[in-house]
Amino acid sequence: MSHLPVDVLNDFVDGEMAPAQAAAVQAHLASCAACRAEVQALRSVIARVRALPRSVAPPRDLRPRSRPAAARALPPGRGWLAAAAVLAIALASTLRGTGRDQAESAAPGVHAAAPVERRYQAVVAELSTLLQERRERLPAGVRTDIDRTLAEIDRTLDRSRQALRSAPGDVDAELGLSATYAQKIELLHQALELTTGE
Amino acid sequence: MRTHTPPRRPRLNPLPRPPGPSDVPVPGPGGFDALYEEHAGRVYAICLRMTADPAEAEALTQDVFVQAWRKLGQLRDAGSVLGWLRRIAVNALRRDRRSAARRHARVQLVGDPAQVERGFTGPVPEDRLALERAIAALPEGARAVLVLHDIEGYRHAEIAALLGITPGTSKSQLHRARSLLRETLEP
């Protein structure tokens, strides 16, 4: 039976005690074998716990794999937003070189989609098709919300596209367009995730 | 797979700011794999010992790395990657505890101590297994503090912030955990 209350015992062993109090405990231990044994037993259990390995190999590969098949080729989540911005800048500098000639060789009066748009449009088309196939798996209220938000994004896309046309090669305008596409892709991702459920 | 509760309204991302020179570059697939190789064992160990449930630990570890992938652009200092991952893990555990399923169950969920063994691959020495089982048998709060303090090396102030308790509670939970372990392990 220990003379030391549990919290005193633990604080002493953990060194969480004011020096004066620790000295008092030390003095008691000098003449009390029972309490010395308690301290030893507690130190022993703590040492065993501390000796446990901090790393335990997972039984299987736990990297994220839960995305729908079409989206698995794309980096998921917000990594897209930074990547979209970097891509836009890279493509903008390409357009100032030979890329611009290709864009301008389109039939007069027809606005060729900027290279940055074409890449996103391909991704959006794939995800939209998938979502269309699985629409009925979404609750009606969520479907309406998603449709409304997609319509909002499409209006923003129109405005961004017009801004880019009136200021071709403008990096901010391209970033705006890329960012809006990234938003649309992210929303389609989220909507698809809701359809995969369990 | 886990059940998603459909949100009332899909989230819209805010428009990003363009990357600046101080930003950590978004790593390619190789970078993420390196992150996983380096830290998956540490993250899984925390999740396994805190949940005492291998299936739940696997799901939580996956969640942590999904979040890690999404938030990688926010990581500034590579030296604190592990600390950052551990915080994500503990936050994920707290959210899990508060989930609707848990509230509706209205029972104090104590892991079946024996099932924690399934979380380990390969042979484990019997005395270590006995200790892992004893930790798994602890009440949740005591177990969480023991793992964070004695295994992960957090101080009580940090544990208090991580778990949303007071440092005083953290200490008493730790002392209780150690006392219970002694009762189990000392014949």
Side-chain angles (χ1 to χ4, degrees):
Chain A
M1 189 65 206
S2 175
H3 306 117
L4 302 171
V6 167
D7 57 332
V8 171
L9 181 67
N10 278 271
D11 283 345
F12 176 75
V13 166
D14 285 340
E16 300 247 1
M17 207 171 255
Q21 202 184 359
V25 172
Q26 196 68 53
H28 173 78
L29 290 176
S31 58
C32 182
C35 289
R36 280 201 301 275
E38 276 289 289
V39 167
Q40 192 47 47
L42 179 60
R43 283 199 169 125
S44 175
V45 120
I46 294 171
R48 277 184 73 177
V49 173
R50 290 212 174 116
L52 284 171
R54 288 192 191 166
S55 180
V56 174
R60 58 187 181 88
D61 187 347
L62 296 175
R63 273 171 291 199
R65 293 242 187 287
S66 63
R67 293 284 178 167
R72 211 174 285 140
L74 311 169
R78 289 170 221 295
W80 253 117
L81 298 179
V86 171
L87 180 68
I89 291 171
L91 287 172
S93 47
T94 311
L95 272 177
R96 286 192 197 96
T98 56
R100 186 178 285 282
D101 303 314
Q102 291 167 8
E104 285 173 344
S105 69
V110 173
H111 291 283
V116 61
E117 268 215 80
R118 264 183 255 129
R119 181 186 163 94
Y120 288 131
Q121 279 170 353
V123 171
V124 163
E126 209 175 346
L127 294 177
S128 301
T129 306
L130 251 182
L131 184 60
Q132 194 56 37
E133 287 164 15
R134 301 181 188 175
R135 268 181 70 83
E136 66 284 353
R137 296 191 207 175
L138 295 168
V142 174
R143 239 180 282 155
T144 316
D145 274 351
I146 289 175
D147 287 345
R148 199 180 310 130
T149 312
L150 280 171
E152 256 173 59
I153 293 181
D154 285 341
R155 281 192 291 275
T156 309
L157 275 175
D158 282 340
R159 285 196 299 272
S160 301
R161 220 175 275 123
Q162 279 167 31
L164 188 55
R165 274 189 210 128
S166 53
D170 178 72
V171 174
D172 282 336
E174 276 169 352
L175 278 175
L177 186 61
S178 296
T180 311
Y181 266 111
Q183 276 191 321
K184 185 167 184 180
I185 290 167
E186 176 68 7
L187 177 63
L188 290 167
H189 268 298
Q190 290 168 24
L192 278 166
E193 220 177 13
L194 296 177
T195 66
T196 55
E198 313 281 335
Chain B
M1 292 310 298
R2 321 202 48 211
T3 310
H4 288 284
T5 308
R8 285 190 32 185
R9 188 181 175 79
R11 291 168 290 133
L12 257 192
N13 301 322
L15 285 176
R17 57 180 179 78
S22 60
D23 281 3
V24 175
V26 176
F32 179 74
D33 286 347
L35 182 83
Y36 180 84
E37 296 295 335
E38 173 111 18
H39 297 293
R42 290 296 301 268
V43 173
Y44 177 69
I46 298 174
C47 293
L48 180 62
R49 290 189 177 119
M50 285 186 71
T51 62
D53 179 339
E56 202 185 330
E58 286 184 24
L60 277 164
T61 303
Q62 277 187 313
D63 285 352
V64 168
F65 281 98
V66 167
Q67 286 190 59
W69 171 258
R70 288 181 172 167
K71 294 178 182 176
L72 219 39
Q74 297 171 15
L75 183 59
R76 292 279 178 270
D77 171 16
S80 67
V81 167
L82 180 59
W84 176 67
L85 286 171
R86 290 194 300 186
R87 273 198 304 281
I88 294 175
V90 175
N91 284 332
L93 279 156
R94 284 184 71 189
R95 270 202 311 279
D96 191 64
R97 288 285 168 278
R98 291 198 296 256
S99 76
R102 300 286 173 136
R103 286 200 301 273
H104 291 143
R106 287 189 185 284
V107 288
Q108 176 76 42
L109 291 165
V110 178
D112 170 14
Q115 78 169 332
V116 77
E117 296 177 32
R118 286 192 259 112
F120 302 105
T121 37
V124 179
E126 184 52 42
D127 59 341
R128 189 189 131 197
L129 210 45
L131 178 56
E132 301 274 12
R133 266 187 244 122
I135 293 173
L138 291 172
E140 250 176 43
R143 185 168 74 228
V145 176
L146 180 91
V147 169
L148 290 175
H149 188 274
D150 284 352
I151 302 179
E152 297 298 322
Y154 283 103
R155 306 187 62 86
H156 288 295
E158 294 169 305
I159 295 171
L162 280 170
L163 298 181
I165 58 179
T166 66
T169 302
S170 179
K171 269 198 182 181
S172 57
Q173 290 282 45
L174 176 68
H175 301 171
R176 186 172 166 227
R178 289 166 172 176
S179 299
L180 290 169
L181 283 184
R182 283 182 59 192
E183 279 174 34
T184 307
L185 297 169
E186 292 166 21

